[in-house]
C-alpha cells in the first residue's frame, strides 16, 4: 500500500471537471485508489466521479491518497502530481457561503389563489418534464432496468455528439465539462443506485432517477463553497437528460404521486398543461405576480398557489414535506410536528366549486337599469373547457392558446391544433369562442435558452408571429378549419398599431386562399385586435377601421402603461389596476370601438374582480371575459348595480390623480358578492 497526504489548493476545489481529470488519471492504473478526508468525514473512490464529488473537497481540504495494487507507486505519483498541478484548472471563484436548511423553513410570497394544502414537493425545472411515480410489478422489473440502461446509452451518444461539436466550435476547454457529464453516466454510484432503487422500491426508472439524482444533489447543497455547490447543476443536467430520454422512449405513466406540490422557479403554461391535474394539489414558485400567466392559470384551475418566493426552489428536494398556505401567503418546508398538527385540522384546498344555483343561470346579465352585459370565459387549457357550461358563460371570450407552443422545440401539429380548437368550439356553444394567436415571447419564452434582455418589450406576440410565419400559418390554418364546426374568431395579440393588424391579416388571407385552393373545408373568421399597449390605445380609432372587434387586455395595459413588470413581485406595489392612466386607456378604447360600431370585450384579470367589473361597466364596457369560476360572483354583483349611477362614479375616477384616490372612490361602492 502506498499513501501520501495532499491539500486541495485549487481555488475551485475538487469540482466536476477537476474530478473528471482525476478519474481519467486514476482509471489508467490497476491499483485501487482512495481519497480520504483527513478530518475523517468522508472517503471516496478516485475512479468514481460522483464519489469524488461527494467528498465536497473545497479549497484547503486535506486529503490522504491511498493506492493499493501492483502499480500502486506509479498510481500514487500520477494522482499526487495532478493535485500539485491544481488539476490544470484556471477559473476564478467567488467565496459566497451557503448552507441548506433542514429545519422548518418558512418563506413568504404572494398568494394568487385560495386554499391551504399539505403535500410533498415535486420539483420542476423550467422546460423540464414532470416525473411520475408508478408501481412496477415483479415481472416487469427487469424490463424497467433495460429501459433505464437504454436511456443511459442514448444519453451517452447524445453527450458524445455534443462534446465533439463543442470541441470543434469552442475548443477543448469548453468540451471538458461534457467529459464530466459522460463520467456521471458511467458512474456506478448513479447507475447502480438507480437500478437498486427500481428493484427495492418497485419504482419506475424515471422516479428512481429523480430520487437518486436529488439525493446526489442534496450533497451539493450542503457544501460550504458556492462554486462547488453550483456544480450540482451539472448533475441536474445529466439527470434531466436521462429523464427526457426515459419519458421520450418509454411508456407514459398516468399517476403522479397523489399529493404533489409543484415547486419551480417559474412555470410555463405548457408544463402545467402536461401535468396530471388530478394529483397536483398546489403550486409554489420563485417568480410571478398576481397577473403573471402562471397565476392566471392556477386560479383558472382552482389550484392553491403562492408565487414570488424568490430563492425557495433551491432549498427544496423532491419528496420533502411542504405546506402551502395561500391564505397567509406562506409556504412551510419540513414542518415541525406541531406545525403539521396545526395545519392538519385547517387544510382547505382551493377549487372552483360549482354552485348548483349558478349553474342554472347562464347567458348575459342585466343591471338594475336594464343594461345587458355579456359574461364570457377565459380559458387556457382543454381541462377548463367544461367550465364554460358549468359556470354559465356566454362562450369563450379568450382562449390563450400558448400551451400548444411554449415548450422549446415542441409545437402541436396543424391537425392536433385543429382538434383542440374544434373541442373549444363545441364547448363554447352558440356564443362561440375567440382564439388568440400565440402570445409567446416575453414571459412565455419559446426558447428559454435564448431569452431576450427585455422580453416583455421584445419579440413577443404579434411580433413573434410575423417573424416566425410558419408557426403562425400553421395556427391560422388550424383555426380556419375548426371554424367550419361553429362560431370561432381570432384575435391578434399585442398589436402596436394598425400596421401590425394589416400584416397579420395578409397572412390570414393567404392561408384562407390556400385552404380554398386545396379544397380543404374551412370557414372565414372574425378578426379582432388585442388592445393592451399604449400605442394601440392612442391609435385605437385607426385600428378599429381594420378589425371586427377589440379585446382589452388590462393585464398588459397596466404593465405597459405604468411600466411595471406584471411578473415581478418586487414591484407588485406599483402594479395598480385602478390607476387613472389605465382607466383613461380603457375609456378611450371603449369610445373608439363605439364610434366604429365594433364590440369590445374586456378580458384581463380586472373583469374577474367584482368591484373592478363594476367600474368597467361604469366606463361603458358591456362585454366581459373572465376566469369561469368568477362568473357567478360577478353576475351577482352586476345585477345589483345601476349602470347610470356607476357611470357618474367612473367619471370621478377618471378625474382622479392617483390609484389611491380611485381606490377610495371605489371602496364606497356597496353590493354583496
Ligand atoms: C391581458 O393582457 O390582459 C390579457 C388578457 O392577456 P394575457 O394576460 O394573456 O397577457
Ligand atoms: Mg396580454
Amino acid at each position: 500500500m502506498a499513501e501520501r497526504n495532499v491539500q486541495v489548493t485549487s481555488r475551485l476545489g475538487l469540482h466536476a471537471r477537476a474530478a473528471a481529470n482525476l478519474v481519467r488519471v486514476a482509471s489508467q492504473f490497476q491499483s485501487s485508489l482512495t481519497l480520504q478526508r483527513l478530518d475523517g468525514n468522508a472517503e471516496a473512490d478516485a475512479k468514481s466521479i460522483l464519489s469524488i464529488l461527494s467528498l465536497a473537497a473545497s479549497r484547503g481540504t486535506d486529503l490522504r491518497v491511498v493506492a493499493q495494487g501492483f502499480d500502486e507507486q506509479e498510481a500514487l505519483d500520477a494522482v499526487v502530481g495532478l493535485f500539485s498541478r491544481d488539476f490544470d484548472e484556471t477559473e476564478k471563484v467567488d467565496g459566497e457561503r451557503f448552507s441548506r436548511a433542514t429545519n422548518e423553513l418558512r418563506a413568504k410570497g404572494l398568494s394568487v389563489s385560495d386554499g391551504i394544502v399539505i403535500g410533498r414537493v415535486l420539483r420542476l425545472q423550467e422546460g423540464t418534464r414532470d416525473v411520475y411515480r408508478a408501481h412496477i410489478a415483479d415481472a416487469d422489473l427487469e424490463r424497467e432496468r433495460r429501459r433505464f440502461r437504454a436511456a443511459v446509452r442514448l444519453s451517452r451518444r447524445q453527450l458524445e455528439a455534443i462534446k465533439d461539436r463543442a470541441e470543434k466550435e469552442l475548443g477543448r476547454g469548453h468540451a471538458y465539462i461534457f467529459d464530466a457529464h459522460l463520467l456521471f453516466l458511467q458512474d456506478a454510484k448513479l447507475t447502480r443506485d438507480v437500478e437498486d432503487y427500481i428493484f427495492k422500491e418497485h419504482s419506475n426508472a424515471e422516479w428512481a432517477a429523480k430520487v437518486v439524482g436529488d439525493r446526489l444533489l442534496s450533497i451539493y447543497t450542503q457544501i460550504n463553497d458556492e462554486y462547488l455547490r453550483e456544480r450540482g447543476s451539472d448533475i441536474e443536467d445529466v439527470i434531466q437528460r436521462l429523464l427526457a430520454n426515459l419519458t421520450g422512449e418509454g411508456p407514459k405513466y398516468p399517476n403522479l404521486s397523489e399529493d404533489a406540490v409543484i415547486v419551480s422557479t417559474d412555470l410555463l403554461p405548457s408544463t402545467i398543461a402536461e401535468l396530471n391535474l388530478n394529483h397536483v394539489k398546489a403550486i409554489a414558485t420563485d417568480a410571478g405576480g398576481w397577473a403573471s400567466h402562471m397565476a392566471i392559470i392556477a386560479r383558472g384551475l382552482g389550484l392553491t398557489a403562492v408565487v414570488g418566493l424568490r430563492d425557495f426552489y433551491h432549498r427544496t428536494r423532491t419528496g420533502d414535506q411542504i405546506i402551502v398556505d395561500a391564505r397567509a401567503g406562506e409556504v412551510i418546508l419540513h414542518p415541525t410536528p406541531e406545525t403539521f398538527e396545526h395545519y392538519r385540522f385547517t387544510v382547505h384546498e382551493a377549487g372552483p366549486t360549482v354552485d348548483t344555483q349558478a349553474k342554472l343561470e347562464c347567458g348575459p346579465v342585466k343591471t338594475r337599469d336594464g343594461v345587458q352585459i355579456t359574461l364570457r370565459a377565459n380559458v387556457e387549457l382543454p381541462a377548463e373547457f367544461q367550465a364554460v357550461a358549468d359556470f354559465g358563460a356566454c362562450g369563450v371570450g379568450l382562449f390563450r392558446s400558448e400551451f400548444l407552443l411554449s415548450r422549446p422545440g415542441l409545437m402541436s401539429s396543424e391537425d392536433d391544433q385543429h382538434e383542440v380548437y374544434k373541442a373549444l368550439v363545441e364547448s363554447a356553444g352558440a356564443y362561440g369562442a375567440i382564439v388568440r394567436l400565440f402570445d409567446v415571447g416575453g414571459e412565455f419564452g419559446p426558447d428559454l435558452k435564448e431569452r431576450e434582455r427585455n422580453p416583455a418589450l421584445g419579440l413577443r406576440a404579434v411580433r413573434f408571429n410575423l417573424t416566425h410565419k410558419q408557426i403562425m400559418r400553421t395556427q391560422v390554418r388550424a383555426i380556419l378549419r375548426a371554424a367550419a364546426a361553429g362560431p370561432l374568431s381570432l384575435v391578434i395579440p399585442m398589436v402596436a398599431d394598425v400596421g401590425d393588424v394589416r400584416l397579420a391579416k395578409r397572412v390570414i388571407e393567404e392561408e384562407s386562399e390556400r385552404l380554398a385552393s386545396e379544397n380543404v373545408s374551412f370557414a372565414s373568421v372574425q378578426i379582432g385586435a388585442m388592445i393592451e399597449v399604449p400605442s394601440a390605445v392612442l391609435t385605437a380609432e385607426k385600428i378599429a377601421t381594420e378589425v371586427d372587434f377589440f379585446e382589452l387586455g388590462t393585464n398588459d395595459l397596466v404593465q405597459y402603461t405604468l411600466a411595471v413588470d406584471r411578473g415581478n413581485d418586487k414591484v407588485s406595489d406599483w402594479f395598480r389596476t385602478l390607476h387613472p392612466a389605465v382607466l383613461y386607456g380603457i375609456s378611450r378604447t371603449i369610445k373608439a370601438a363605439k364610434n366604429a360600431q365594433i364590440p369590445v370585450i374586456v378580458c384581463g384579470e380586472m373583469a374577474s374582480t367584482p368591484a373592478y367589473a363594476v367600474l368597467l361597466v361604469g366606463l361603458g364596457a358591456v362585454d366581459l371575459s373572465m376566469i369561469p369560476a368568477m362568473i357567478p360572483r360577478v353576475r351577482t354583483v352586476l345585477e345589483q348595480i345601476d349602470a347610470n349611477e356607476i357611470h357618474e362614479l367612473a367619471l370621478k375616477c377618471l378625474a382622479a390623480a392617483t390609484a389611491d384616490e380611485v381606490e377610495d372612490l371605489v371602496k364606497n361602492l356597496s353590493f354583496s358578492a
Side-chain angles (χ1 to χ4, degrees):
M1 188 169 77
E3 60 178 59
R4 205 158 335 146
N5 290 355
V6 290
Q7 192 179 52
V8 180
T9 51
S10 147
R11 297 195 68 199
L12 308 180
L14 197 38
H15 67 94
R17 279 187 291 164
N21 277 348
L22 189 51
V23 170
R24 204 174 307 111
V25 169
S27 302
Q28 291 164 6
F29 299 94
Q30 297 272 313
S31 300
S32 68
L33 274 157
T34 317
L35 303 174
Q36 297 165 350
R37 284 183 71 116
L38 289 191
D39 59 13
N41 278 344
E43 178 174 304
D45 173 0
K47 295 180 184 177
S48 157
I49 188 166
L50 290 165
S51 181
I52 296 171
L53 291 173
S54 68
L55 282 175
S58 52
R59 186 184 195 189
T61 306
D62 291 308
L63 298 170
R64 175 173 302 135
V65 186
V66 181
Q68 197 160 21
F70 84 92
D71 55 358
E72 60 193 29
Q73 199 52 53
E74 296 95 309
L76 188 67
D77 289 346
V79 168
V80 170
L82 196 62
F83 269 86
S84 68
R85 295 199 307 276
D86 283 351
F87 315 101
D88 305 325
E89 292 294 320
T90 52
E91 289 177 41
K92 302 277 179 283
V93 62
D94 290 333
E96 276 235 331
R97 298 287 177 246
F98 173 92
S99 67
R100 169 163 153 77
T102 45
N103 297 330
E104 178 173 294
L105 185 146
R106 290 173 182 249
K108 278 273 176 203
L110 188 74
S111 295
V112 293
S113 65
D114 192 19
I116 298 171
V117 155
I118 298 177
R120 295 262 165 203
V121 168
L122 178 68
R123 297 173 98 225
L124 282 188
Q125 254 194 330
E126 258 176 358
T128 60
R129 298 175 165 269
D130 48 335
V131 178
Y132 305 114
R133 168 98 165 94
H135 182 87
I136 303 293
D138 274 337
D140 294 329
L141 286 172
E142 194 45 55
R143 185 184 53 88
E144 200 60 12
R145 173 165 41 201
R146 282 202 302 276
R147 210 164 67 74
F148 172 65
R149 288 185 177 174
V152 172
R153 281 197 300 277
L154 179 62
S155 303
R156 196 179 307 147
R157 284 200 298 277
Q158 292 168 343
L159 279 170
E160 275 160 359
I162 294 171
K163 191 185 122 189
D164 282 352
R165 214 175 52 228
E167 223 165 69
K168 277 196 205 101
E169 290 170 12
L170 306 166
R172 174 90 194 113
H174 289 272
Y176 252 49
I177 194 63
F178 298 110
D179 281 339
H181 286 200
L182 281 161
L183 284 170
F184 290 158
L185 277 176
Q186 282 163 23
D187 201 306
K189 204 167 167 52
L190 174 70
T191 50
R192 199 189 43 224
D193 282 7
V194 172
E195 293 185 14
D196 284 353
Y197 192 94
I198 292 174
F199 276 77
K200 227 167 90 210
E201 303 291 330
H202 284 82
S203 164
N204 52 319
E206 288 87 343
W207 186 256
K210 177 107 182 105
V211 168
V212 171
D214 268 357
R215 272 191 208 147
L216 287 167
L217 278 171
S218 73
I219 297 171
Y220 282 84
T221 54
Q222 288 163 28
I223 296 177
N224 209 15
D225 176 299
E226 198 197 14
Y227 187 86
L228 270 185
R229 180 169 55 79
E230 290 280 308
R231 296 310 92 191
S233 62
D234 292 325
I235 295 180
E236 198 148 17
D237 241 36
V238 172
I239 299 293
Q240 290 305 339
R241 175 174 303 283
L242 264 176
L243 289 175
N245 286 332
L246 275 167
T247 36
E249 284 193 329
K252 292 248 176 210
Y253 294 101
N255 297 320
L256 197 65
S257 150
E258 296 254 328
D259 52 359
V261 170
I262 304 298
V263 179
S264 180
T265 48
D266 203 354
L267 272 181
L268 298 171
S270 58
T271 310
I272 300 179
E274 281 181 5
L275 295 171
N276 179 338
L277 293 166
N278 294 328
H279 291 152
V280 175
K281 286 186 140 188
I283 291 176
T285 59
D286 286 359
W290 171 259
S292 63
H293 285 109
M294 181 249 305
I296 292 169
I297 292 174
R299 279 196 293 280
L301 294 169
L303 286 173
T304 297
V306 178
V307 305
L309 291 162
R310 308 272 167 93
D311 61 346
F312 183 67
Y313 173 77
H314 286 289
R315 293 160 190 260
T316 62
R317 290 288 159 257
T318 291
D320 285 352
Q321 191 161 55
I322 186 171
I323 296 169
V324 182
D325 181 350
R327 301 221 163 138
E330 189 172 53
V331 294
I332 306 164
L333 191 68
H334 310 302
T336 61
E338 298 79 54
T339 307
F340 188 78
E341 273 310 292
H342 167 74
Y343 272 100
R344 218 153 60 88
F345 296 104
T346 49
V347 163
H348 168 86
E349 286 167 37
T353 42
V354 180
D355 178 335
T356 42
Q357 181 122 41
K359 215 174 174 177
L360 299 177
E361 284 198 60
C362 57
V365 58
K366 275 201 175 136
T367 62
R368 278 203 337 260
D369 53 341
V371 176
Q372 180 168 301
I373 319 282
T374 306
L375 303 176
R376 303 179 200 257
N378 289 349
V379 291
E380 347 273 322
L381 303 173
E384 293 172 285
F385 289 177
Q386 178 57 35
V388 179
D390 286 348
F391 293 101
C394 302
V396 172
L398 176 66
F399 175 44
R400 292 179 169 101
S401 60
E402 293 76 23
F403 87 96
L404 292 162
L405 180 60
S406 46
R407 179 58 69 79
L410 274 190
M411 177 176 87
S412 305
S413 67
E414 183 186 318
D415 284 348
D416 288 350
Q417 287 191 48
H418 172 239
E419 287 305 311
V420 172
Y421 303 142
K422 228 169 75 183
L424 175 74
V425 172
E426 279 152 18
S427 322
Y431 286 94
I434 302 168
V435 180
R436 178 172 68 187
L437 293 184
F438 295 132
D439 186 354
V440 287
E443 197 186 352
F444 285 122
D447 183 346
L448 296 164
K449 291 210 173 67
E450 282 182 24
R451 278 209 157 168
E452 295 167 277
R453 260 168 63 86
N454 206 340
L457 304 182
L459 195 65
R460 189 189 151 177
V462 69
R463 303 168 192 175
F464 174 89
N465 284 296
L466 292 171
T467 307
H468 299 280
K469 286 238 178 66
Q470 211 37 55
I471 293 177
M472 181 181 180
R473 288 185 191 283
T474 304
Q475 184 176 30
V476 166
R477 284 171 68 90
I479 293 171
L480 292 170
R481 284 171 55 198
L488 195 59
S489 307
L490 168 164
V491 67
I492 310 162
M494 223 185 104
V495 299
D497 55 33
V498 73
D500 284 340
V501 173
R502 288 181 186 140
L503 290 173
K505 277 176 72 176
R506 193 171 310 150
V507 175
I508 298 164
E509 275 157 27
E510 283 165 10
E511 288 313 315
S512 302
E513 283 163 15
R514 198 175 318 203
L515 285 169
S517 70
E518 291 166 359
N519 273 329
V520 177
S521 146
F522 77 100
S524 59
V525 294
Q526 298 233 306
I527 298 170
M530 294 284 298
I531 305 295
E532 48 189 349
V533 299
S535 63
V537 170
L538 295 172
T539 58
E541 295 78 10
K542 312 275 191 319
I543 299 173
T545 60
E546 298 261 352
V547 293
D548 301 308
F549 63 95
F550 278 169
E551 293 226 49
L552 245 166
T554 54
N555 303 330
D556 277 315
L557 192 59
V558 177
Q559 159 163 276
Y560 293 119
T561 303
L562 305 181
V564 178
D565 181 349
R566 59 192 275 189
N568 181 349
D569 60 293
K570 291 193 194 107
V571 289
S572 56
D573 285 350
W574 282 270
F575 192 91
R576 303 291 292 272
T577 302
L578 294 191
H579 195 288
V582 174
L583 303 186
Y584 171 75
I586 294 170
S587 163
R588 200 180 184 292
T589 305
I590 292 173
K591 278 187 191 142
K594 274 200 178 133
N595 287 340
Q597 297 185 324
I598 59 168
V600 54
I601 301 163
V602 186
C603 63
E605 291 302 279
M606 193 176 175
S608 300
T609 312
Y612 297 0
V614 169
L615 188 54
L616 285 168
V617 171
L619 291 167
V622 290
D623 206 328
L624 308 178
S625 193
M626 65 202 75
I627 294 167
M630 289 308 293
I631 291 175
R633 223 176 290 172
V634 171
R635 177 188 298 283
T636 308
V637 169
L638 294 184
E639 273 167 351
Q640 298 168 49
I641 63 160
D642 184 296
N644 238 329
E645 277 172 21
I646 299 295
H647 180 61
E648 295 304 315
L649 175 84
L651 291 179
K652 286 190 195 139
C653 293
L654 279 170
T658 63
D660 284 341
E661 284 179 34
V662 176
E663 274 174 23
D664 281 345
L665 287 163
V666 171
K667 250 186 235 153
N668 296 331
L669 282 171
S670 70
F671 48 74
S672 53

